Amino acid sequence: MANTSSADKNSTGARSGPKLEQLLSAASNLMAREGYDQTSIRDVARETGLSLAGMYYYFQSKEDLLYKIQHRTFSSLLDEQEKTISEAGDAEEKLRRLVQNHLSYYTRHFNEMKICTFELQSLKGDRYKNIEKLRRRYFKMAAEIVGEILGPSGNRADRGNDARHYTLFIFGMLNWIFMWFDPKRDAPVEDLGEKLVHLTLHGLHGRRGQKQSRG
Amino acid sequence: MANTSSADKNSTGARSGPKLEQLLSAASNLMAREGYDQTSIRDVARETGLSLAGMYYYFQSKEDLLYKIQHRTFSSLLDEQEKTISEAGDAEEKLRRLVQNHLSYYTRHFNEMKICTFELQSLKGDRYKNIEKLRRRYFKMAAEIVGEILGPSGNRADRGNDARHYTLFIFGMLNWIFMWFDPKRDAPVEDLGEKLVHLTLHGLHGRRGQKQSRG
DNA sequence: TTGCGGTTGGAACAAACGTTCGATAGCTAA
DNA sequence: TTAGCTATCGAACGTTTGTTCCAACCGCAA
């Protein structure tokens, strides 16, 4: 179940339902294209046909709008991941599922995910802390899988940092996809995910499909 | 030598020298911390002691300021890379130098690099095109190295896309470092670069520390 | 001294922004 | 009908922003 804390007070009342979803969706679309700062509440209002003042019936502030997008998207992704990964077998399979789920979720909620990935720093105070908490939970989940694949630490001094670094490398590959992915050129994402997992496990030298013999 | 085209008209006159460098440096510092949109020209002026109007003696516009930062930083990095890589031996060594140079430049010009990495989309028209051109040159340089490591293509259908994808994965790892790097925890960058190269070449399963002889 | 071009600052402007206020419909329960 | 709640609107306020104008300063050559 997803985190709920002091910054989501206004899930009470009628400020929910399909209208809210529509507003969040339109806002995500604009913000993913133009960025959070460059998207005004007026833009979102215009896009949805709602008046400017009407927006403030659904959101306390612009930052609250951003927060709602991030919180919904992130906790939904997190739930999906924790459910799927727990059913996996060994660590490699868990990693594969983590990557493929991430990319799958990504294609279904491109705009929202882009916002989650690049607009965290636009949140302040409690709202920042809440999303940061979700992010950390996501990271920890991945880091444990990577640590499992690396095997027991102990030989090198900062072996503890290894899992952290490699996990951050993986998230780097995943998150950077927003910057270049082109459906016409790079679909299907499943293949992309396979490449990513393959690179992570075996590197460029690990043969795939067919191979040269090695020393 | 770095690209020069229609958008850098104002390198004429006295609008250069240490004062310009100071302004660009202060602006980079603020923009790396708060983002381009959240940094006003007034902020930069206040930081440097120059008046608001005085800023417009050095920059045609706020976007021009951003462009100057990106152009200088990127062409300098590009020059450095092309020089160093041409001296390298095999493809693996080239990749290693590419990564280590990138990270080295990165530590010397953290703020400017962060801006180059994340604020491209804030440029429009010719300014956008010019930086995009530099970026493409950088990418091509890397992609050729990766292609060389992968070996001759021809077996799989979209093998041509492989080098592109793997290169983008590498840039993903590199660029994402901005999001988490902590000098107290992650220095020295040379070790980080080694880890990145090792993952790229051999993956998590490749042995490290105890190394096997090769070829 | 005068003159001049490179450099700087004070003041102002128009536009855009986030936010608030008060009013007004529509609906439902008493 | 009345009372109250949900949903929406037009208008406005105060602030910040990028940018411009123009006057003034500086150092140096004539």
Side-chain angles (χ1 to χ4, degrees):
Chain A
M1 173 188 21
N3 178 298
T4 300
S5 91
S6 60
D8 347 83
K9 283 287 204 298
N10 52 352
S11 56
T12 64
R15 263 137 296 207
S16 61
K19 187 65 180 273
L20 213 216
E21 313 291 338
Q22 178 202 349
L23 294 178
L24 292 176
S25 174
S28 299
N29 189 17
L30 292 173
M31 288 182 179
R33 274 217 317 274
E34 306 291 332
Y36 172 74
D37 289 309
Q38 291 293 338
T39 303
S40 70
I41 296 199
R42 282 171 176 83
D43 291 333
V44 182
R46 195 179 308 119
E47 186 81 4
T48 57
L50 192 62
S51 73
L52 172 60
M55 293 288 299
Y56 283 82
Y57 177 73
Y58 292 93
F59 309 105
Q60 300 170 4
S61 63
K62 189 184 177 187
E63 196 192 324
D64 182 47
L65 165 56
L66 177 62
Y67 174 77
K68 280 193 165 61
I69 293 173
Q70 296 207 24
H71 188 271
R72 283 173 167 247
T73 306
F74 226 131
S75 17
S76 165
L77 166 64
L78 209 40
D79 285 357
E80 223 172 85
Q81 287 282 27
E82 288 175 345
K83 205 168 299 175
T84 312
I85 290 179
S86 69
E87 301 168 351
D90 64 350
E92 282 194 22
E93 184 57 26
K94 282 181 184 171
L95 177 68
R96 180 164 286 108
R97 293 214 191 186
L98 177 89
V99 169
Q100 293 290 8
N101 281 342
H102 188 98
L103 291 178
S104 160
Y105 196 90
Y106 173 110
T107 55
R108 284 174 287 150
H109 308 283
F110 184 90
N111 297 326
E112 290 82 354
M113 279 290 279
K114 186 164 186 178
I115 291 170
C116 285
T117 304
F118 291 104
E119 302 287 5
L120 170 63
Q121 65 198 8
S122 296
L123 297 173
K124 322 263 162 179
D126 280 352
R127 280 192 263 256
Y128 177 92
K129 279 187 205 155
N130 284 351
I131 303 298
E132 171 82 355
K133 215 180 290 179
L134 294 179
R135 210 184 255 237
R136 252 201 268 274
R137 215 165 96 211
Y138 199 34
F139 175 82
K140 192 182 169 195
M141 183 177 64
E144 281 171 0
I145 297 174
V146 171
E148 213 174 319
I149 293 177
L150 282 177
S153 55
N155 30 352
R156 279 211 348 285
D158 66 338
R159 189 61 179 257
N161 237 353
D162 276 5
R164 176 168 171 267
H165 285 157
Y166 287 127
T167 306
L168 287 164
F169 288 158
I170 293 171
F171 276 117
M173 292 189 268
L174 281 173
N175 291 333
W176 196 246
I177 294 181
F178 285 107
M179 296 299 209
W180 53 267
F181 185 75
D182 171 14
K184 302 191 190 306
R185 204 174 175 185
D186 303 304
V189 282
E190 287 80 6
D191 292 358
L192 209 53
E194 267 311 309
K195 278 187 196 177
L196 200 158
V197 170
H198 183 263
L199 181 76
T200 303
L201 292 178
H202 307 106
L204 295 178
H205 279 147
R207 42 266 147 96
R208 202 252 268 257
Q210 51 119 70
K211 58 305 347 296
Q212 75 277 18
S213 55
R214 183 151 58 95
Chain B
M1 193 201 346
N3 178 298
T4 299
S5 91
S6 60
D8 345 84
K9 283 289 202 303
N10 53 351
S11 54
T12 64
R15 266 138 294 205
S16 61
K19 186 66 180 276
L20 212 216
E21 312 292 336
Q22 177 202 349
L23 293 177
L24 290 175
S25 173
S28 298
N29 188 18
L30 291 174
M31 288 181 179
R33 274 218 317 273
E34 305 291 331
Y36 171 73
D37 290 308
Q38 292 294 336
T39 303
S40 71
I41 297 200
R42 282 172 175 83
D43 291 334
V44 182
R46 195 178 308 119
E47 187 81 3
T48 57
L50 191 61
S51 73
L52 172 60
M55 293 289 299
Y56 282 83
Y57 177 72
Y58 292 93
F59 309 106
Q60 299 171 4
S61 63
K62 188 185 177 186
E63 196 191 323
D64 181 48
L65 165 56
L66 177 63
Y67 174 76
K68 280 192 165 62
I69 294 173
Q70 296 207 25
H71 189 272
R72 283 173 168 248
T73 306
F74 225 130
S75 17
S76 164
L77 167 63
L78 209 40
D79 286 357
E80 221 172 87
Q81 287 282 28
E82 289 176 345
K83 205 167 300 176
T84 312
I85 290 179
S86 69
E87 302 167 352
D90 64 349
E92 281 194 23
E93 184 58 26
K94 283 180 184 172
L95 177 68
R96 180 165 285 107
R97 293 213 192 185
L98 177 89
V99 169
Q100 293 291 8
N101 283 341
H102 189 98
L103 291 177
S104 161
Y105 197 90
Y106 174 109
T107 55
R108 284 173 288 150
H109 309 281
F110 184 90
N111 296 327
E112 289 83 355
M113 279 290 279
K114 185 164 188 179
I115 291 170
C116 285
T117 304
F118 291 105
E119 303 286 5
L120 170 63
Q121 66 198 6
S122 297
L123 296 174
K124 323 263 163 178
D126 281 352
R127 280 191 263 256
Y128 177 91
K129 280 186 205 155
N130 284 349
I131 303 298
E132 170 81 354
K133 216 179 291 180
L134 295 180
R135 210 184 256 234
R136 251 201 268 275
R137 216 165 97 211
Y138 198 36
F139 175 81
K140 192 183 171 194
M141 183 177 65
E144 281 171 0
I145 297 174
V146 170
E148 215 175 320
I149 294 178
L150 282 177
S153 57
N155 32 349
R156 277 212 346 286
D158 66 337
R159 188 65 179 255
N161 237 353
D162 275 6
R164 176 169 170 266
H165 285 158
Y166 286 127
T167 306
L168 287 163
F169 289 158
I170 293 172
F171 276 117
M173 293 189 266
L174 281 172
N175 292 333
W176 196 247
I177 294 181
F178 286 106
M179 296 300 210
W180 54 267
F181 185 76
D182 172 14
K184 303 192 192 305
R185 204 174 175 187
D186 303 304
V189 281
E190 286 80 6
D191 292 359
L192 208 52
E194 267 311 310
K195 276 187 197 177
L196 199 158
V197 170
H198 183 264
L199 180 76
T200 302
L201 292 178
H202 308 106
L204 294 178
H205 280 147
R207 282 278 172 271
R208 207 249 268 253
Q210 83 244 48
K211 46 182 57 175
Q212 74 265 22
S213 56
R214 189 152 55 86

